[in-house]
Amino acid sequence: MHEEDPQVYELDPDTTIRAIGKWSTAGDETADYNFTQIDRYHAKGIAFMGSGTASVIFPKDFATAEIFDDMSTRDADGNPVPHDEFGFPEPARRGNIFNPKYREYLLSWARIQVDGGVDGLNFDEINAGFSGGSKYGFNGNEGFDDYAIADFNRYLLEKYPAFTAADWKSRFGMTDDNIPRRDVPAGDLAANFNYRAYLRAGGWNRDPLNAVNPLAREWGRVVANRMYAEDTSFTATYIRRYWKELVDKTRAYSWRTRHRNVLISSNGLWPYVDFNSVGMYPWNPDEQTPDFRGADYVPVVEGHLNGAKSLQSQYRYLKEQSARIAGHVPVVVFIDWPNDMMTNYLNLPLQEKKDYWQIFGAEAYANGIFPAFHLKDTVGSPTATDLGMMDFFKTYTRFYKDRRAIFSDNVISPHAVRVSAAHIAASLLVQRGTGKRSLHLVNHNYDQGITPQSGFTVEADLGSCPRRVSLVSPDFPQSKSPAFSCRHGKLKLTVDRLDHYNIIQL
């Protein structure tokens, strides 16, 4: 994928999430890419992120059908799992990250992009090869190939080093002829434990994650685009291990060949990255709702933006979870595709598209998250220019560029913030290293348009009083000095007007 997007030069962001990418047979060769655009990015001071799918594969990716089969994930009967739900004209499958040859294949196109001069790489859908796809109703019947089964043996033997044959049988219901053995190579599935045979014997080969299966918890339930820090199941342990291997080898290659670091990111929440880029899409697991669809990142009511909703709790969850997984790295959110959240956004009236960024983009900033402003996707949807959004984006994002010092490396303060007016989401951020504090107010007084609020008070328990207070906003050009009082760390100030978003620097 080599298309160049001139909108990037107009917007002039600090970085892109994905400017080029490996997809199907596009990206296997240097000629597939337009690396000359990187110099144009750098002339504008923009970091250039390459990317690629870490899991979707097609027959044309490989020289022979046998290699394609070897690279493919398998169900619990040992058969390749189709992924016809993508709707591609050619057969699609998921690649098997447990296969060392597949990991080398991923590194092969990553090296091409590093050689071409990218500043970073975004590996998409690292752990997507465990869902089972539409064939199995996404019940997790996938990832049970020989490579993974051999690693499962290693995992079990490492976790239970003192287990005897009697222990394996009493704990997991194994039989004498199918038990983990230390005297046999882990990959010898004829003589060592064969998990697929165990699943067939138990009748779980069509539903291997069934809670009745005694080994289901040991295997683990893979959550798409997530690698939770507390997950020590087999799949999490070994996917984490192989992901680190990919990251380390990519970074080492860049340093060895170009004598420079390369940024690493992925779709979701992952360790070992320089920043996490989180796709916002339905069925995201990070907010359980009654319909099980997850967080509603582009809320609409009868086709209109539901600006009355707040995403503060969700943004905070993502930031806190990322810190647990990856440490204090930046977290970026973007509207992922193709799904109904993207459709909802594209179908909003023009002013409500702008309101979306002025409310929910601002609310991301207000909670230490960075929103990626939507310019273009790769499925032919209207671009920001087509939608009439570029002039707004260029003007609106200038506020954040000019005040980037406010938004850098913040954590959410536990101190309470109280606002006398309704429909306002308030947060207090503290900058790591400097200790600088900022109060953020996002207006959700909205019904097909924002209704400004005025003359309300804000109170915060700070611990120590600020020497001065200033108020800035993307909604007006000049800073203000709101009236305030503070005693014993208890701040009280009056805000004369809030349109979409105010920042109070302390």
Side-chain angles (χ1 to χ4, degrees), residues 27 41 61 72 82 94 111 117 168 203 234 272 313 407 433 458 460:
Y41 271 66
D61 287 334
S72 302
R94 293 288 189 178
R111 293 188 193 107
W168 292 116
F234 158 67
Y272 318 125
S313 63
F407 302 100
V458 179

Side-chain angles (χ1 to χ4, degrees), residues 297-315:
Y297 289 106
V298 186
V300 296
V301 177
E302 297 180 350
H304 289 280
L305 182 68
N306 181 12
K309 176 173 178 168
S310 171
L311 289 176
Q312 177 168 273
S313 63
Q314 180 61 20
Y315 287 146

Side-chain angles (χ1 to χ4, degrees), residues 254-427:
S254 179
W255 188 255
R256 184 173 67 253
T257 59
R258 298 175 60 207
H259 309 293
R260 59 173 294 188
N261 293 321
V262 63
L263 298 171
I264 300 294
S265 187
S266 180
N267 188 343
L269 297 175
W270 283 80
Y272 318 125
V273 297
D274 295 286
F275 68 94
N276 268 315
S277 47
V278 183
M280 299 186 292
Y281 51 82
W283 317 112
N284 197 306
D286 293 302
E287 180 183 282
Q288 289 302 315
T289 52
D291 61 1
F292 298 103
R293 284 179 56 83
D296 187 7
Y297 289 106
V298 186
V300 296
V301 177
E302 297 180 350
H304 289 280
L305 182 68
N306 181 12
K309 176 173 178 168
S310 171
L311 289 176
Q312 177 168 273
S313 63
Q314 180 61 20
Y315 287 146
R316 289 186 173 190
Y317 173 88
L318 293 176
K319 185 172 179 63
E320 292 163 359
Q321 195 68 264
S322 178
R324 293 171 62 188
I325 294 168
H328 291 287
V329 299
V331 181
V332 178
V333 290
F334 67 99
I335 307 174
D336 211 341
W337 58 265
N339 62 66
D340 54 2
M341 290 188 189
M342 179 65 79
T343 301
N344 287 345
Y345 171 74
L346 294 174
N347 288 339
L348 289 173
L350 178 59
Q351 181 56 51
E352 293 182 27
K353 287 188 183 74
K354 298 176 183 178
D355 289 338
Y356 175 83
W357 298 106
Q358 290 176 291
I359 295 171
F360 296 109
E363 194 160 47
Y365 277 115
N367 290 279
I369 299 281
F370 297 95
F373 293 90
H374 179 68
L375 298 183
K376 181 182 180 181
D377 62 29
T378 62
V379 296
S381 303
T383 67
T385 300
D386 297 333
L387 296 168
M389 289 291 290
M390 277 308 296
D391 286 342
F392 164 76
F393 279 155
K394 287 187 288 184
T395 301
Y396 186 68
T397 58
R398 175 54 58 189
F399 171 84
Y400 297 100
K401 295 174 193 174
D402 291 345
R403 294 163 181 82
R404 66 182 68 233
I406 298 175
F407 302 100
S408 174
D409 204 13
N410 285 312
V411 295
I412 299 165
S413 171
H415 290 113
V417 180
R418 297 173 293 278
V419 182
S420 64
H423 311 298
I424 296 175
S427 58

Side-chain angles (χ1 to χ4, degrees), residues 219-220 222 227-228 231-241:
W219 181 268
V222 175
M227 179 53 65
Y228 296 115
D231 189 349
T232 59
S233 67
F234 158 67
T235 45
T237 299
Y238 273 75
I239 294 171
R240 188 183 293 114
R241 182 176 301 177

Side-chain angles (χ1 to χ4, degrees), residues 52-319:
T53 171
S55 62
V56 180
I57 58 174
F58 301 92
K60 290 190 295 186
D61 287 334
F62 306 102
T64 67
E66 290 74 19
I67 296 174
F68 179 54
D69 285 343
D70 185 51
M71 297 291 192
S72 302
T73 55
R74 303 276 173 149
D75 62 21
D77 286 321
N79 300 313
V81 178
H83 282 273
D84 300 331
E85 66 270 10
F86 295 141
F88 295 118
E90 55 184 307
R93 295 179 186 169
R94 293 288 189 178
N96 173 23
I97 198 170
F98 285 81
N99 183 342
K101 293 186 288 294
Y102 183 70
R103 297 196 297 276
E104 178 56 33
Y105 165 74
L106 296 180
L107 286 168
S108 69
W109 59 252
R111 293 188 193 107
I112 291 173
Q113 295 187 28
V114 170
D115 291 342
V118 300
D119 299 301
L121 283 160
N122 187 311
F123 293 87
D124 193 24
E125 294 190 322
I126 300 157
N127 65 346
F130 297 84
S131 74
S134 58
K135 177 178 180 179
Y136 293 110
F138 301 94
N139 71 348
N141 189 8
E142 190 170 5
F144 298 92
D145 57 274
D146 287 359
Y147 300 98
I149 299 303
D151 279 342
F152 192 38
N153 288 342
R154 297 182 181 99
Y155 173 84
L156 291 173
L157 291 167
E158 290 169 4
K159 184 172 181 179
Y160 301 102
F163 262 32
T164 64
D167 294 324
W168 292 116
K169 289 189 289 185
S170 64
R171 178 73 173 270
F172 299 114
M174 298 178 183
T175 54
D176 286 321
D177 60 346
N178 197 21
I179 285 179
R181 294 176 55 180
R182 303 181 192 283
D183 59 334
V184 174
D188 183 353
L189 302 184
N192 212 325
F193 180 60
N194 188 318
Y195 188 38
R196 288 196 303 269
Y198 173 90
L199 291 169
R200 285 194 298 272
W204 306 304
N205 52 310
R206 303 283 291 184
D207 185 20
L209 301 189
N210 192 306
V212 179
N213 170 12
L215 279 172
R217 288 174 62 87
E218 300 290 343
W219 181 268
R221 183 176 293 274
V222 175
V223 178
N225 291 335
R226 299 293 186 266
M227 179 53 65
Y228 296 115
E230 64 274 11
D231 189 349
T232 59
S233 67
F234 158 67
T235 45
T237 299
Y238 273 75
I239 294 171
R240 188 183 293 114
R241 182 176 301 177
Y242 292 139
W243 166 237
K244 187 176 188 301
E245 174 190 302
L246 283 170
V247 170
D248 289 347
K249 287 186 175 180
T250 302
R251 286 179 171 144
Y253 180 79
S254 179
W255 188 255
R256 184 173 67 253
T257 59
R258 298 175 60 207
H259 309 293
R260 59 173 294 188
N261 293 321
V262 63
L263 298 171
I264 300 294
S265 187
S266 180
N267 188 343
L269 297 175
W270 283 80
Y272 318 125
V273 297
D274 295 286
F275 68 94
N276 268 315
S277 47
V278 183
M280 299 186 292
Y281 51 82
W283 317 112
N284 197 306
D286 293 302
E287 180 183 282
Q288 289 302 315
T289 52
D291 61 1
F292 298 103
R293 284 179 56 83
D296 187 7
Y297 289 106
V298 186
V300 296
V301 177
E302 297 180 350
H304 289 280
L305 182 68
N306 181 12
K309 176 173 178 168
S310 171
L311 289 176
Q312 177 168 273
S313 63
Q314 180 61 20
Y315 287 146
R316 289 186 173 190
Y317 173 88
L318 293 176
K319 185 172 179 63

